[in-house]
Amino acid sequence: MFSVATATEDETRVMRQGLAGMLCGKQYYFFDADKWLSEHGVDPFATAASTVRNREWGHMVNDDIISMPDKWEYPWYAAWDLAFHMVPFARIDPEFAKHQLTLFLREWYMHPNGQLPAYEFALSDVNPPVHAWSVWRVYKIAAARAERARR
C-alpha cells in the first residue's frame, strides 16, 4: 500500500501530478437526451423498433459538474471510470467524491428500471457493479473510523 509518509520525492511528485490531473477533470456537462433524440428524428413513443442509440433514455437531463475520465480526449462521462476515480479523489475532496457518486444514483440520471447510465454514446451499455464498490470505498476513506461506527 502506498503511503505519503514513506514516499520518495519522485513518488510524491507523481502522486501530486496525478491528483492535479483529476482536479482538472472537473467539467460542466449538459446533455438533454430528449432534445438529442428529437434532433435525430426519434419519436420515443413510436412503437416501431429503432436502432438509434439512447432511445429509451428520453427522460435524462444532465446539467452538472462531473469528473471526466479525460476532458480533452473524452469530453463525456463514463460511469465506470467515474466510480474508480472517486476512490483516490476522496482523499483530496471527499465531499465532491460523495456528491459525484450520489449524483449518478439520482432519478434524473438513472433509468426508471434502476440502471446507471454507462456513457453518452451508449447509455444502456452494461457495466459491472463498480459504483457500489466505489461508494463503499469512499465511505471508508472519507469517514473516520469512530464516525463509521456511530452511523
Side-chain angles (χ1 to χ4, degrees):
M1 180 80 178
F2 180 80
S3 169
V4 176
T6 61
T8 67
E9 185 177 340
D10 282 344
E11 290 171 335
T12 303
R13 287 180 179 161
V14 169
M15 183 173 66
R16 185 175 297 142
Q17 289 173 351
L19 294 173
M22 295 187 81
L23 287 169
C24 290
K26 291 181 179 182
Q27 178 176 311
Y28 172 72
Y29 184 79
F30 180 79
F31 180 69
D32 183 334
D34 189 47
K35 181 178 180 188
W36 185 89
L37 290 167
S38 176
E39 290 170 351
H40 288 79
V42 176
D43 178 0
F45 299 107
T47 56
S50 173
T51 58
V52 175
R53 62 189 166 108
N54 301 331
R55 179 173 178 246
E56 61 282 348
W57 289 78
H59 69 284
M60 177 187 266
V61 177
N62 298 161
D63 183 18
D64 296 286
I65 302 294
I66 299 176
S67 180
M68 303 295 174
D70 176 347
K71 72 179 193 176
W72 301 109
E73 189 175 358
Y74 304 102
W76 36 262
Y77 64 80
W80 189 4
D81 295 32
L82 181 132
F84 281 121
H85 290 178
M86 289 306 106
V87 174
F89 215 111
R91 296 191 184 279
I92 53 175
D93 191 347
E95 292 308 311
F96 180 77
K98 289 187 270 186
H99 172 74
Q100 289 290 280
L101 293 168
T102 303
L103 183 63
F104 278 71
L105 301 174
R106 298 303 309 230
E107 61 273 16
W108 52 88
Y109 277 77
M110 283 179 43
H111 192 277
N113 69 12
Q115 181 180 1
L116 298 181
Y119 27 76
E120 177 186 316
F121 57 89
L123 295 168
S124 291
D125 272 7
V126 177
N127 283 322
V130 295
H131 204 86
W133 171 84
S134 181
V135 168
W136 176 247
R137 293 302 308 147
V138 167
Y139 166 74
K140 299 277 278 182
I141 292 166
R145 185 172 300 275
E147 281 185 42
R148 284 183 284 177
R150 286 186 294 220
R151 291 183 184 176

